Amino acid sequence: MFTYSGQVEPKSVTIVAPSGDLHANAVKREVELLGYPCTIADPRETLQSLAYGLDSGDELSVPAAGPVADTATSVWWRRPVKAIAADHISNREFRRFIGAEWDAAFYGYLRSVALQIVNDPAAEHKAGLKVVQLATARRVGLTIPRTLVTNDPVRAGEFIETGRRKGRRTVVKPLTPPANQLGETRVVEGLEGRQDALRQAPVILQECIERGTDLRITVVDGEMFAATVDSERDALVDWRADENVSYTRTNLDPRLEDRLAGLMDALGLRTGSIDVRVSADGTPFFFEVNPSGQFLFLELELDYPIAGALARALLTLR
């Protein structure tokens, strides 16, 4: 059994995630191997009936029904999907209200009884804002690409033209991930015919950092599992668009590792997946951190024990 060093020991682990999530099931297996019970709580499926008391002493009572096994649990916040109203409720406002009531009941209980939540949802929400990520990265000493956030065609055109005069391409990316598809980074040559579309919503424009060495780094409580991304499609700006990439274990420059650790601390994150590109002249450029990023492909290809590291983190109070 895992030896716990804190003053209070979690009795179990609760993973708030879709029930079929492969990452959730991998970490569940690792927690159970350490000798602790683990439950995957999917608000869409498990909240059919819920009851818990607020008048049974100093603490909340265990629910009479629901997914949380006890009141001394450690929680992994793994891409939860909000509860939704039953199909026969057709009124949009009623559906919104019912979903909000389930969320308030479940998440309120979870926040009240959990010894910790990894990552804290408030920190994860803040860190999910790309502008916050970039500003924080720069503050801790990381290098970021020249960046403009705008819906102004004039400012956007000036940004693209300034880069062109310096021999630099410009890329565009969304501020928020689109539903059910990859928010791919794309080269933008100009705005001809797109001015009206741009005015509808801001985007991120950045100087294109041409392909050097792409790094994917998964962080768990300061431990860094780093890999280089190997793609034969050198013309690609975004390696995620290549279905045939491979990965190689690598060691990080200690200075980069220290700055990435500082970024995670500043964002209040205990785990996350970071994308960095090292340019041809050896400069590492920070692109983004995904607080709930995918990591199983690194575990499977490189035998990195990331799920086990997450299991131990969930059993260590911070």
Side-chain angles (χ1 to χ4, degrees), residues 6-20:
Q7 295 180 345
V8 180
E9 180 178 351
K11 295 179 181 178
S12 68
V13 170
T14 300
I15 301 175
V16 183
S19 57

Side-chain angles (χ1 to χ4, degrees), residues 137-187:
R138 187 173 58 183
R139 191 164 61 247
V140 300
L142 290 164
T143 302
I144 66 171
R146 175 172 162 265
T147 301
L148 175 69
V149 178
T150 188
N151 74 323
D152 183 342
V154 174
R155 291 290 304 277
E158 292 172 348
F159 184 90
I160 295 170
E161 183 58 31
T162 297
R164 183 180 292 117
R165 288 197 299 266
K166 296 179 179 179
R168 305 287 189 178
R169 296 191 294 173
T170 297
V171 296
V172 61
K173 59 180 68 174
L175 285 156
T176 58
N180 301 319
Q181 62 179 336
L182 174 66
E184 184 183 347
T185 299
R186 298 178 181 272
V187 172

Side-chain angles (χ1 to χ4, degrees), residues 244-266:
N244 298 312
V245 295
S246 59
Y247 309 92
T248 305
R249 282 193 182 211
T250 190
N251 295 317
L252 297 178
D253 182 293
R255 293 169 297 179
L256 175 59
E257 191 168 302
D258 287 345
R259 288 168 183 169
L260 293 177
L263 173 71
M264 297 294 285
D265 288 344

Side-chain angles (χ1 to χ4, degrees), residues 195-274:
Q195 292 91 334
D196 287 342
L198 177 59
R199 290 188 183 97
Q200 303 309 308
V203 297
I204 296 177
L205 295 172
Q206 287 184 324
E207 176 183 309
C208 179
I209 307 304
E210 302 297 344
R211 288 296 298 273
T213 302
D214 283 305
L215 301 175
R216 176 75 166 197
I217 305 141
T218 296
V219 184
V220 181
D221 274 353
E223 188 174 3
M224 299 194 184
F225 303 92
T228 58
V229 182
D230 305 311
S231 171
E232 295 181 358
R233 299 172 63 185
D234 290 336
L236 273 180
V237 172
D238 190 338
W239 60 264
R240 297 173 301 167
D242 185 354
E243 297 179 354
N244 298 312
V245 295
S246 59
Y247 309 92
T248 305
R249 282 193 182 211
T250 190
N251 295 317
L252 297 178
D253 182 293
R255 293 169 297 179
L256 175 59
E257 191 168 302
D258 287 345
R259 288 168 183 169
L260 293 177
L263 173 71
M264 297 294 285
D265 288 344
L267 292 173
L269 300 177
R270 291 180 60 182
T271 185
S273 295
I274 298 173

Side-chain angles (χ1 to χ4, degrees), residues 30 45-46 113 157 175 181 205 217 238 252 281 303 306 313:
E30 293 293 332
E45 298 177 2
T46 55
V113 301
L175 285 156
Q181 62 179 336
L205 295 172
I217 305 141
D238 190 338
L252 297 178
D281 68 1
D303 199 29
I306 303 174

Side-chain angles (χ1 to χ4, degrees), residues 31-54:
V31 170
E32 291 171 344
L33 286 173
L34 292 172
Y36 290 79
C38 184
T39 301
I40 297 176
D42 185 343
R44 298 171 304 171
E45 298 177 2
T46 55
L47 294 184
Q48 303 301 317
S49 178
L50 183 67
Y52 55 85
L54 295 169

